[in-house]
Structures are given as structure tokens and as C-alpha cells.
């Protein structure tokens, strides 16, 4: 198990935006942390009220957004316009090219969300968009598949051989890892023990194929688990 601590991440403060970068991104360059398998970006962003990212392009990238607090307003040139809230998972396949914007839907309250980039299995596909809600009850004390290549079990579909699970764990709730190949575990909130090591908000752990792990002692923990080829 290789642990990546929250305070080891890159950081950028733009005033209206404060962002932590798990992997190299923009002006933060770390040759030892350029990504993990197809997982390329995990940015933890906090956006002040009424602010956001104006219309900007993406191409050939699978982009997943996961809201922790607040509301995020999304618009794109495919005609989509929705507001994301905690428990929602949004997937945008940029493919041949897409233009989109993301704003804090509130003028007063802050927005806290993760933006995740995954390298696509196929390039040059038609752009597409999908958003689904995953209620707390489906994630409490267990793993809920929220993204997969084939969109099974009601998950959003992603153009890559990856399974993304989300789980919520409190004291007394334990969960063995789902079957995985390469695995990246990211603690979104709270604290939890992974193979006896305590991980807190923003901490992550990487696992090689065949390595096993279990989670215990969760304290209001919210966790994402990437199973990667």
C-alpha cells in the first residue's frame, strides 16, 4: 500500500478558487505523480459564491464531477444545463470536442467538489453527457458502483475500463474491497483506517493487483475507490 497524504498534494489559490491537485495539473508538476493507470486528475476544488469556470474546451478526456457541498451549475454546447448536488455523479465524454462551463449555483454559499479526469479507451468519439443521483442509503456502510465502462447497476457509463465505487462509513461499519486490479482509494471526507493506517480527508492509497485491503473505524468517512485495468 502506497499512501499519498493530503498535504503532499499540489495547491493553487486563485482567490475565488482554491484547488488541491492529487496529480500533476496546470502549474503543479511532479514527475512522481503524473497519474495512476488511466486516472489522470483528481482536483479538490472550492469555489466562492457566484464564481466559477467560464466556457472552456475539452477534448478526448472522460470527466467526472462529484459534489461534496453546495450546488454546481453545468452548461455545455450539447444543450445540457443541470445543477449538481451532493450525491450526484456527472460524466462528460469530451471526445472530438466540447465547450462547457461550471459555476457555483449559489451567490452566498461555497461550492466544494471533485473533478476527476480519466484517459479514454477510444479517442475521437462523439461527445456525450450523463448525470445520475446516488442516494445516501445506497452508499451508507457499503460500496455503490457509480461509474463503469458498461453502465451496469445503474452507474454512469465511462469510455474506459474502470469501475468507480463510492461509500460512506461510520463507526462499526466495515467494508472489504470489491474485486479490483490496480486500485486507487481516495478519502473525500472524514477519517477511516485502511489496513490499520488512518487516512483523513484528501489522503489516498494506491494498491497493486493482488493486494488486499479493508476499511474499519470510519468517522463520517466518504470514500471513492477506483478499480483500474
Amino acid at each position: 500500500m502506497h499512501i499519498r497524504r493530503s498535504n503532499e498534494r499540489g495547491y493553487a489559490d486563485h482567490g475565488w478558487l482554491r484547488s488541491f491537485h492529487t496529480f500533476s495539473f496546470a502549474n503543479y508538476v511532479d514527475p512522481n505523480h503524473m497519474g495512476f493507470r488511466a486516472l489522470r486528475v483528481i482536483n479538490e476544488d472550492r469555489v466562492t459564491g457566484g464564481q466559477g469556470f467560464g466556457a472552456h474546451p475539452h477534448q478526448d478526456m472522460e470527466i467526472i464531477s462529484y459534489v461534496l457541498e453546495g450546488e454546481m451549475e453545468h452548461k455545455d454546447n450539447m444543450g445540457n444545463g443541470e445543477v449538481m448536488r451532493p450525491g450526484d455523479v456527472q460524466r462528460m465524454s469530451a471526445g472530438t470536442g466540447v465547450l462547457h462551463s461550471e459555476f457555483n449555483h449559489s451567490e452566498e454559499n461555497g461550492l466544494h467538489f471533485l473533478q476527476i479526469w480519466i484517459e479514454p479507451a477510444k479517442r475521437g468519439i462523439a461527445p456525450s453527457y450523463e448525470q445520475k443521483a446516488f442516494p445516501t442509503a445506497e452508499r451508507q456502510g457499503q460500496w455503490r458502483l457509480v461509474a463503469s465502462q458498461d453502465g451496469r447497476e445503474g452507474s454512469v457509463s465511462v469510455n474506459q475500463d474502470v469501475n468507480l465505487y463510492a461509500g460512506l462509513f461510520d463507526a462499526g461499519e466495515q467494508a472489504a474491497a470489491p474485486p479490483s486490479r490496480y486500485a486507487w482509494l481516495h478519502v473525500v471526507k472524514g477519517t477511516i483506517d485502511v489496513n490499520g493506517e488512518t487516512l483523513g480527508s484528501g489522503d489516498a492509497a494506491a494498491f497493486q493487483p493482488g493486494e488486499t485491503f479493508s476499511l474499519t473505524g470510519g468517522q463520517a468517512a466518504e470514500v471513492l475507490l477506483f478499480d483500474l485495468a
Side-chain angles (χ1 to χ4, degrees):
M1 180 173 72
H2 172 74
I3 296 176
R4 172 88 158 133
R5 293 293 181 185
S6 174
N7 60 8
E8 298 171 353
R9 298 178 295 175
Y11 178 67
D13 188 342
H14 302 283
W16 64 274
L17 166 68
R18 292 179 295 128
S19 184
F20 285 96
H21 310 312
T22 294
F23 304 115
S24 294
F25 185 85
N27 293 329
Y28 169 60
V29 179
D30 181 348
N32 295 320
H33 295 93
M34 298 299 296
F36 183 77
R37 309 301 291 176
L39 180 58
R40 179 62 187 83
V41 167
I42 301 178
N43 286 349
E44 181 182 354
D45 293 342
R46 288 177 170 84
V47 180
T48 59
Q51 300 295 312
F53 304 88
H56 58 282
H58 290 286
Q59 186 174 348
D60 285 326
M61 192 64 70
E62 298 295 296
I63 300 171
I64 294 175
S65 297
Y66 188 92
V67 173
L68 309 178
E69 295 176 301
E71 299 176 319
M72 186 177 80
E73 183 175 353
H74 166 94
K75 292 182 180 179
D76 61 47
N77 63 348
M78 294 179 285
N80 299 299
E82 295 196 48
V83 175
M84 285 188 68
R85 297 175 176 86
D88 292 347
V89 175
Q90 176 197 99
R91 184 271 308 163
M92 187 173 67
S93 296
T96 54
V98 66
L99 194 69
H100 81 133
S101 63
E102 298 158 302
F103 275 85
N104 186 340
H105 188 61
S106 170
E107 292 291 333
E108 297 84 22
N109 301 319
L111 167 65
H112 184 194
F113 75 104
L114 295 182
Q115 184 159 103
I116 298 158
W117 292 7
I118 297 172
E119 297 279 357
K122 296 179 181 179
R123 296 180 177 271
I125 66 172
S128 61
Y129 172 94
E130 189 177 11
Q131 180 173 320
K132 291 185 177 181
F134 297 91
T136 297
E138 295 184 6
R139 295 175 288 138
Q140 189 66 55
Q142 61 189 329
W143 295 112
R144 174 62 163 99
L145 184 68
V146 298
S148 64
Q149 190 170 32
D150 55 6
R152 67 187 184 281
E153 300 175 22
S155 61
V156 301
S157 59
V158 62
N159 173 29
Q160 182 53 270
D161 184 6
V162 58
N163 299 305
L164 173 57
Y165 299 88
L168 304 171
F169 303 101
D170 283 315
E173 295 177 332
Q174 302 182 23
S180 63
R181 298 154 294 177
Y182 292 89
W184 184 272
L185 185 147
H186 185 92
V187 179
V188 176
K189 287 183 181 179
T191 62
I192 197 161
D193 293 340
V194 182
N195 288 358
E197 291 280 351
T198 300
L199 302 186
S201 178
D203 290 344
F207 300 88
Q208 300 299 306
E211 290 185 295
T212 61
F213 57 97
S214 61
L215 282 65
T216 58
Q219 299 294 326
E222 185 167 1
V223 185
L224 294 181
L225 175 63
F226 298 83
D227 162 39
L228 301 147

